[in-house]
Amino acid sequence: MLPLRGPTNYDREPPRHPSLTVNSKEPFNAEPPPCTLVASFVTPEEIFYKRNHGPIPVLEDPSEYRLEVGGLVSKPLSLSLEKIRMLPKHTVVATLQCAGNRRTQMSETKHVKGVGWGVAALGNGIWSGVCLYDILELAGITQGTTATLNGGKHVEFVSVDVCKEENGGPYKASVPLLQATTPSADILLAYEMNGKELNRDHGYPLRVVVPGVIGARSVKWLRGIYVTADECQGFFMQRDYKMFPPSIDWHNVDWSSRRPLMDFPVQCAICTPKEGAVHALGSMVTIQGYALSGGGRGIERVDVSIDGGKTWLEAKRYQKQRGDLYSSDTDNDCEKWAWVLWEITVQIYPPVDIIAKAVDSSANTQPEKVKSIWNLRGVLNNSWHCVQVQAENAKDALRNL
Ligand SMILES: Nc1nc2c(c(=O)[nH]1)N[C@H]1C(S)=C(S)[C@@H](COP(=O)(O)O)O[C@H]1N2
Ligand SMILES: [Mo]
C-alpha cells in the first residue's frame, strides 16, 4: 500500500500560524494579513497562503514512497525519494497565486460561488527539486516534444488527497507535453521550499510547481505523472478554474465551451495602508504592494494614484535584498516568475482613494472596473486595486471638502 494517503477527516491537520485569516476551516483555506506579505521578497512558509480541497495527506514511511511515472511513455518509472534527490537539483524563485485571489471583491458586483479571498492568496517561494523534463527524459521522452509517437500530448499530475468535488478521488491537473518538456518553462517537482524540506501544507513530500500559471496546476502531494493523449478530465480542469464572460451564469454555463485557465494575467495590489486606514491631512504615507504577471512576463512598471485615478505616479521596486536563501545556485532569472514588491512615499490629504495598476513586459495592463471582468466562479480578478484612506478626524474631513 502507498505510504502517502489522503485522510477522509480533519484529525491530522498540521499546526498553522495564528495570524492567518481563515476563509474556510475544512478544507483549510487561509491567507496572511497583506502587510506581512510585503515585509519580505520571499514569503515565509508559515504565512504563505494555503489552498486545499480536502484533508492534508499523511506520509507514513518516507522510504516506502514511490513516484509513479507512466501512461504513454516507453520506460515507465517508479522513483523513491532518495532516487529523486540524486537527480540534478534545480531552484526556481516563483510566485504561486490562486486564480481566486481577490475573489471577494468580485462578489460586490454580483455574488460569485467559491471560497472568498482578499488580496493575499499568493506567495513568493524559493522552490528546489528536480526538473519535470529530466524525469520525462528518464521515461524516454526528449526535450521539446509536442507529441509522442503513440499520441501522448499532455502530462497529468495526480495526488492522493480526498476531494469531494472528485467524489472522494484525488486532486489532479495536466499541462501540455510541450510545456512539460521545455526547459525554459521551469516546471519543477519540488521537495524543498525556501531552503527547507517542503512541509505538509504545501505538498510534502513532493509537489509540482508550474511557474507563471494559476496555482491550481501546481499539484501538491504528488503520487503519479502520466503522459496522456487528452487533457486531464478531472473536476478542477474541466468544471472549475475556467473563465466565462459576464453574460454567463450558473443557468446557462457550458463548461466544455472553455479551456482550462493556465497563465495568469498582470496583477497588482496595495498591501499597506489597509482599507479604511486613518491618516492626518498632509501626512506622509508609504504605500507598498506587490505586482506580478503570468507566462514568464515580468513587470515593467507600477502606477499609483492618490486622487482616485486622475493622475499617476510611478512606484519604485524594493525587492533587491533577496536574503541569504537567494544564492547563486538559483539558476533561473528571478524576474521571470517572481513578483515585484513596490513602494512609493507620498503626502496625502484624506479622504483619498489610492489606486494601483501594473504594466507587464508585454505592455498588458489591468482593467479599471471589476464589473467588466465579472465571471461566475470569481476567478482572475485583476482590476485596478483601490484602498480608501480616511481623515484623522471629522474636522479634517470637512476642511478637505
Ligand atoms: N493535491 C492538491 N494540489 C493542489 C490543491 C489541492 O487542493 N490538492 N490546490 C491547488 C490550488 S487551487 C492552489 S491555488 C495551490 C495552492 O498551493 P499552496 O497551498 O501551497 O499555497 O495548490 C494547488 N494544488
Ligand atoms: Mo487555487
Side-chain angles (χ1 to χ4, degrees):
M1 209 182 93
L2 190 78
L4 177 67
R5 54 179 186 81
T8 52
N9 62 40
Y10 292 89
D11 293 347
R12 299 187 66 181
E13 295 288 284
R16 271 100 182 207
H17 199 270
S19 75
L20 294 172
T21 299
V22 179
N23 298 323
S24 140
K25 197 163 171 277
E26 296 178 347
F28 190 76
N29 287 296
E31 63 186 305
C35 61
T36 62
L37 268 190
V38 288
S40 59
F41 178 66
V42 175
T43 312
E45 311 80 78
E46 313 84 71
I47 64 154
F48 201 101
Y49 82 104
K50 300 169 203 316
R51 180 37 172 146
N52 301 301
H53 291 84
I56 307 302
V58 177
L59 176 57
E60 298 293 358
D61 182 356
S63 69
E64 291 292 306
Y65 170 89
R66 295 291 179 277
L67 173 72
E68 194 182 355
V69 183
L72 302 169
V73 295
S74 52
K75 287 179 248 163
L77 311 166
S78 172
L79 303 169
S80 66
L81 286 172
E82 199 186 355
K83 175 79 211 217
I84 291 169
R85 284 169 190 273
M86 274 157 53
L87 294 167
K89 185 176 174 182
H90 190 74
T91 295
V92 175
V93 182
T95 303
L96 220 58
Q97 178 181 218
C98 182
N101 190 26
R102 303 183 59 202
R103 174 180 284 141
T104 300
Q105 190 203 5
M106 207 168 258
S107 278
E108 290 166 11
T109 301
K110 186 170 152 197
H111 180 73
V112 292
K113 270 193 216 171
V115 177
W117 293 97
V119 303
L122 80 173
N124 189 40
I126 302 177
W127 310 96
S128 300
V130 53
C131 295
L132 177 59
Y133 68 82
D134 276 340
I135 297 277
L136 291 172
E137 197 139 58
L138 285 179
I141 300 178
T142 50
Q143 285 181 19
T145 301
T146 306
T148 59
L149 290 176
N150 50 6
K153 287 188 182 159
H154 299 265
V155 179
E156 181 172 73
F157 309 120
V158 181
S159 180
V160 296
D161 48 348
V162 174
C163 306
K164 64 174 185 322
E165 293 88 341
E166 289 285 9
N167 299 313
Y171 190 96
K172 47 193 178 185
S174 67
V175 294
L177 183 62
L178 180 60
Q179 191 176 354
T181 55
T182 297
S184 61
D186 282 322
I187 302 179
L188 218 60
L189 308 186
Y191 46 78
E192 279 177 16
M193 176 182 187
N194 299 349
K196 288 163 238 163
E197 182 168 71
L198 197 64
N199 69 28
R200 286 182 59 214
D201 259 333
H202 297 291
Y204 173 78
L206 196 66
R207 83 170 299 166
V208 183
V209 174
V210 188
V213 164
I214 62 163
R217 312 306 174 215
S218 290
V219 175
K220 305 194 273 189
W221 315 291
L222 189 63
R223 84 133 303 180
I225 297 176
Y226 307 95
V227 174
T228 56
D230 299 311
E231 189 177 88
C232 167
Q233 292 301 302
F235 182 90
F236 302 101
M237 285 287 284
Q238 301 302 335
R239 300 187 64 82
D240 199 354
Y241 295 113
K242 288 191 176 187
M243 189 163 83
F244 292 88
S247 59
I248 301 294
D249 212 335
W250 293 93
H251 64 280
N252 60 355
V253 59
D254 171 9
W255 286 95
S256 67
S257 67
R258 299 280 152 178
R259 288 180 293 184
L261 291 176
M262 296 306 259
D263 294 359
F264 50 79
V266 57
Q267 168 78 292
C268 86
I270 298 161
C271 294
T272 173
K274 62 176 185 223
E275 175 66 27
V278 173
H279 287 276
L281 282 191
S283 52
M284 297 302 289
V285 171
T286 297
I287 304 162
Q288 292 183 319
Y290 63 76
L292 74 167
S293 192
R297 287 174 289 276
I299 289 298
E300 176 63 21
R301 63 164 214 271
V302 177
D303 300 327
V304 175
S305 172
I306 52 168
D307 56 12
K310 288 197 218 62
T311 60
W312 299 90
L313 299 158
E314 190 177 343
K316 274 203 315 280
R317 28 186 104 190
Y318 68 92
Q319 69 188 38
K320 291 297 176 229
Q321 62 294 27
R322 280 160 187 165
D324 300 338
L325 288 171
Y326 181 74
S327 62
S328 52
D329 76 337
T330 303
D331 9 35
N332 80 304
D333 170 8
C334 211
E335 288 279 294
K336 205 168 155 191
W337 310 119
W339 66 11
V340 163
L341 297 182
W342 54 263
E343 71 178 13
I344 185 167
T345 301
V346 286
Q347 189 169 29
I348 59 165
Y349 292 87
V352 291
D353 281 352
I354 302 177
I355 299 176
K357 64 176 168 80
V359 178
D360 74 13
S361 62
S362 300
N364 295 304
T365 189
Q366 303 175 234
E368 178 175 349
K369 303 255 188 262
V370 63
K371 206 172 168 194
S372 65
I373 50 166
W374 184 92
N375 61 85
L376 75 161
R377 276 300 275 115
V379 289
L380 304 187
N381 176 14
N382 69 331
S383 57
W384 291 5
H385 188 232
C386 178
V387 163
Q388 288 185 321
V389 174
Q390 308 298 331
E392 198 166 51
N393 55 49
K395 206 170 71 206
D396 279 356
L398 277 179
R399 233 188 300 158
N400 201 31
L401 285 178

